[in-house]
Amino acid sequence: RGRTRIDTATGLSIGPLAPADTPVDVLLVPGFMHASPDDLLARLAGYGPEVALVRDAARRGIPVAASCCGTFLLAEAGLLDGRDATTSWWLHSAFRRRYPRARVDVERMVVEDGGVTTTGASTAVMSWALQLLARHAGAALAQQTARLMLIDPDRNSQAPYISLALAERPRH
């Protein structure tokens, strides 16, 4: 939106930012702060330019990925219609209600389908990063990186982390 720097909620300043037409290898949409599924959906209403940017990147053949609630932005752009996807387990029912054309499997940690990747809750993106590293730099480097970062490279399901007490349930 014309800014040259972005200041994060933690005080980190990122910049200078590259122009929107700069070639990229992959576009990663991060999760973003929200108080509830309703708040998340309300925030999406103000992300029209970002939705358009993501849709345009995918049309140009740029691989697109999203972490945690960032998956809602991909779905809002129509990129998950008819595709397999995942999202953060506690947002599952809100995601399923809003995007019924996506085939969402909340137990999966990472889902890649046709150049579009979705990951579960915020740390699931690390599993995807390890997969990318293994694919492009070799399994040995990915394994060593996992050890250094204390990441279980064989973690492939959100199921052990799902809490029924905390899961957002549909209201009837």
Side-chain angles (χ1 to χ4, degrees):
R1 296 190 181 186
R3 294 178 14 189
T4 59
R5 301 190 80 70
I6 294 176
D7 296 318
T8 70
T10 61
L12 178 66
S13 184
I14 302 170
L17 301 176
D21 60 352
T22 301
V24 296
D25 295 319
V26 64
L27 175 63
L28 173 61
V29 177
F32 47 91
M33 297 302 294
H34 59 279
S36 67
D38 289 337
D39 181 44
L40 166 61
L41 297 176
R43 288 175 184 270
L44 280 176
Y47 290 160
E50 290 79 9
V51 169
L53 182 137
V54 167
R55 187 181 299 122
D56 181 60
R59 282 188 187 137
R60 290 187 293 141
I62 297 171
V64 177
S67 169
C68 196
C69 66
T71 60
F72 281 69
L73 202 127
L74 297 190
E76 205 61 28
L79 300 184
L80 299 181
D81 291 352
R83 286 198 166 113
D84 293 333
T86 193
T87 191
S88 183
W89 62 264
W90 73 276
L91 295 169
H92 178 239
S93 61
F95 189 94
R96 192 176 288 279
R97 279 192 311 273
R98 185 160 177 108
Y99 310 110
R101 293 185 296 219
R103 296 184 303 262
V104 64
D105 181 352
V106 75
E107 289 191 5
R108 293 180 63 189
M109 190 78 69
V110 177
V111 175
E112 293 182 280
D113 187 347
V116 178
T117 302
T118 52
T119 73
S122 58
T123 63
V125 75
M126 293 179 198
S127 296
W128 177 62
L130 290 174
Q131 290 175 9
L132 283 178
L133 192 57
R135 189 177 306 147
H136 296 286
L141 182 59
Q143 189 67 252
Q144 186 62 30
T145 301
R147 284 188 186 111
L148 290 170
M149 296 181 66
L150 305 177
I151 300 170
D152 179 359
D154 298 320
R155 182 179 72 152
N156 59 13
S157 176
Q158 295 186 77
Y161 307 99
I162 295 174
S163 167
L164 295 179
L166 297 176
E168 185 243 343
R169 293 184 175 84
R171 311 290 191 263
H172 297 289

